[in-house]
Amino acid sequence: MPETRTLDPATVETLFQRLAAENPAPDSELHYDSPFELLIAVILSAQATDRGVNKATANRFPVANTPQAILDLGEGGLKEYISTIGLYNSKARNIIQACRMLVDHHGGEVPRDRRALEALPGVGRKTANVVLNTAFGEPTIAVDTHIFRVSNRTGLAPGKNVREVEDRLMEVVPEAYRHGAHHWLILHGRYVCLARKPRCGACVIADLCEYPDKTEEV
């Protein structure tokens, strides 16, 4: 298979113009009403579906949607609400520890700072990027498996690992589109540029994409 070429700046601009026209106000598919609720939802979403997380948080957030309220539930009480989610034991432990740090060091508020976010148990660079982007409006791009695939397959931002792709995206995505880029790319990978059989026939950027094995799928 020939190596995928990198898109030129004019093509990248057109690519994001089309994605933005299709979805002018992109947002996370996780349900949340505060930065804290988003933080917890993203921690829970690791190796889980957004639908599964939303189902669990729909029951839990009305009962406990602040760090102190979750601490009051305790690890055992928290597990009862998230037991349908994969890796719930370790996630419950991390969430309790993170809530303790938020209460003790941040006044119960989610910090708008990458280093402070990444210091929380269960929070890595990707989770921090999601929170900074979605809760606080920062122009960060969190690279998950969907964005990694789309970036490499299209030639938008090829890279051997997620950090390479993230750094490349931050270089090539025009500033005007940088805040929405995370959502546009993840949704495109989730619903159109599928891993096994991309739906190239339904893709608004198919003619811009450098993927050599396009399908007719719609």
Side-chain angles (χ1 to χ4, degrees), residues 74-211:
E75 187 173 328
L78 177 59
K79 286 181 182 180
E80 293 181 13
Y81 288 97
I82 66 171
S83 60
T84 57
I85 297 175
L87 306 177
Y88 74 92
N89 284 310
S90 60
K91 290 176 181 178
R93 183 166 56 253
N94 285 335
I95 288 171
I96 290 294
Q97 293 173 353
C99 287
R100 174 53 62 196
M101 290 181 66
L102 290 174
V103 169
D104 290 348
H105 303 293
H106 302 286
E109 299 294 328
V110 176
R112 187 173 181 167
D113 175 82
R114 176 184 299 283
R115 182 174 296 181
L117 283 169
E118 291 185 18
L120 300 172
V123 178
R125 184 176 183 86
K126 182 176 73 173
T127 297
N129 276 340
V130 173
V131 173
L132 289 171
N133 176 284
T134 306
F136 297 122
E138 300 287 345
T140 56
I141 301 176
V143 178
D144 69 347
T145 56
H146 297 299
I147 295 179
F148 184 82
R149 178 175 66 257
V150 171
S151 297
N152 276 284
R153 183 179 276 173
T154 60
L156 173 63
K160 295 182 177 66
N161 55 59
V162 294
R163 185 58 190 272
E164 281 189 15
V165 169
E166 180 189 335
D167 290 345
R168 182 63 178 152
L169 284 170
M170 295 302 292
E171 293 175 1
V172 304
V173 176
E175 186 174 352
Y177 301 107
R178 208 166 289 161
H179 178 250
H182 165 77
H183 300 295
W184 286 316
L185 294 176
I186 194 172
L187 293 172
H188 192 69
R190 184 173 289 170
Y191 297 112
V192 181
C193 196
L194 309 179
R196 293 186 179 180
K197 198 170 186 179
R199 300 173 55 228
C200 300
C203 178
V204 297
I205 59 171
D207 60 312
L208 309 176
C209 171
E210 293 291 343
Y211 184 56

Side-chain angles (χ1 to χ4, degrees), residues 32-41 43-44 57 59-75 77-78 81 92 94-104 106-111 120:
Y32 67 96
D33 289 317
S34 69
F36 177 72
E37 288 187 0
L38 177 65
L39 173 66
I40 299 305
I43 292 174
L44 292 174
T57 56
N59 293 324
R60 186 185 60 75
F61 283 157
V63 176
N65 67 344
T66 67
Q68 187 58 58
I70 289 183
L71 288 175
D72 292 343
L73 274 182
E75 187 173 328
L78 177 59
Y81 288 97
N94 285 335
I95 288 171
I96 290 294
Q97 293 173 353
C99 287
R100 174 53 62 196
M101 290 181 66
L102 290 174
V103 169
D104 290 348
H106 302 286
E109 299 294 328
V110 176
L120 300 172

Side-chain angles (χ1 to χ4, degrees), residues 14-26:
T14 301
L15 180 151
F16 281 104
Q17 284 178 350
R18 292 184 188 177
L19 293 179
E22 189 177 50
N23 185 2

